[in-house]
Amino acid sequence: MAVLRRMWRRCLTGPLILLLLSGAATGNQGTAFADAERRLTPAGPEVEAGQFERPSGANWAEMQRRYKGAFVLSAPKPSRRQVALTFDDVPDSRYTPLILNVLKQQNVKATFFVVGSRALKQPGLVRRIHAEGHAIGNHSFDHPDFSKLGIVGMKKQIRTTESALIRSVGFAPRLIRPPYGEIRMSQLNWAQSQGYTVVNWDVDSSDWRQLNAQVVYRNVTSSVRPGSIILLHAGGGAGQNLYGTVNALPKLILWLRTHRYEPVTLPELLQLPERKND
């Protein structure tokens, strides 16, 4: 995690900024994004994947069965062909606005899991997420692996992020997504007792591997089903390339609608309140 935190603190490299500005100056923003993806996305399927890969953990299906309603991978009994697009590691000034622009253009509402330390630095971007009708969840304060923390450490991560979100949008979220999806049974017991819902996913785009748009699109469309919770990212470490996600999103939304899927927020999909105390 020290590596990830160091990466987050670095600034975006100069060549990429120049590339995007040149595209914007000519009015060809979409081409600039595609060029950025081609130049920064490696030929192979991943780059230093271990820096972003989730650790191996408990049996999620068993946890969902044992903690019914408190630990969720997908909608338990979907009555409609609804799915939830979820975006982790926000806010990020490079990628979050681009994702929000696509969602606004496509008239889609999604769910964003916020990192508290980032929310303190960019409260305006958190307010934009909320103002545009998207749901907000808690994604820890500085992105540690909860399974390596005790309950006290996890509580501090959740509560500190809640304070940051109350300052920016005025409420504490009910939904928690632990970094890497990792959480202990004892931590789940505490979350359940406090009225939280821990939400992981059943469809992993693997976009954190810095994949191109075609692969991100294929990873989602090959696995989605009614009630699916789809993991995507709208923020990353310094230098991490998520233009594959940005470029895949319009095509992905079109595919979902063509196949009669309705993208909704997690509170709508799970029929839960967004705010913890509601």
Side-chain angles (χ1 to χ4, degrees), residues 52-105:
F52 302 97
E53 197 168 17
R54 72 173 180 85
S56 60
N59 184 319
W60 286 2
E62 171 62 20
M63 293 167 74
Q64 181 174 234
R65 185 195 65 78
R66 181 179 298 187
Y67 294 91
K68 187 176 182 179
F71 182 81
V72 179
L73 302 177
S74 61
K77 293 182 179 180
S79 58
R80 301 169 58 185
R81 291 178 65 84
Q82 293 181 327
V83 297
L85 297 172
T86 67
F87 296 90
D88 283 9
D89 299 347
V90 301
D92 182 321
S93 60
R94 297 164 296 167
Y95 302 114
T96 307
L98 302 179
I99 295 293
L100 287 170
N101 290 346
V102 173
L103 294 173
K104 187 173 184 179
Q105 291 164 3

Side-chain angles (χ1 to χ4, degrees), residues 3 8 13 91 112 136 254:
V3 173
W8 276 359
T13 55
F112 289 79
I136 288 176
L254 176 61

Side-chain angles (χ1 to χ4, degrees), residues 120-226:
L120 288 177
K121 294 177 181 178
Q122 300 184 71
L125 198 44
V126 178
R127 285 192 288 270
R128 179 184 169 187
I129 291 170
H130 177 60
E132 294 185 2
H134 305 291
I136 288 176
N138 189 321
H139 196 42
S140 83
F141 187 75
D142 57 5
H143 211 274
D145 176 356
F146 281 2
S147 69
K148 296 179 180 178
L149 300 178
I151 292 180
V152 172
M154 178 206 177
K155 287 181 182 179
K156 184 176 180 180
Q157 290 284 326
I158 298 302
R159 301 299 196 201
T160 309
T161 301
E162 285 182 347
S163 296
L165 288 171
I166 289 170
R167 288 172 62 181
S168 56
V169 294
F171 67 90
R174 175 180 179 133
L175 304 179
I176 294 173
R177 174 166 288 164
Y180 315 104
E182 295 297 326
I183 190 167
R184 296 181 180 183
M185 297 287 193
S186 58
Q187 294 167 333
L188 265 176
N189 285 329
W190 174 80
Q192 186 176 43
S193 72
Q194 298 298 306
Y196 295 106
T197 301
V198 177
V199 182
N200 280 358
W201 58 88
D202 67 326
V203 176
D204 188 352
S205 70
S206 292
D207 60 346
W208 54 267
R209 294 177 182 267
Q210 308 184 89
L211 304 175
N212 64 42
Q214 181 179 358
V215 179
V216 173
Y217 169 84
R218 184 172 66 241
N219 286 346
V220 174
T221 58
S222 63
S223 303
V224 74
R225 60 184 178 82

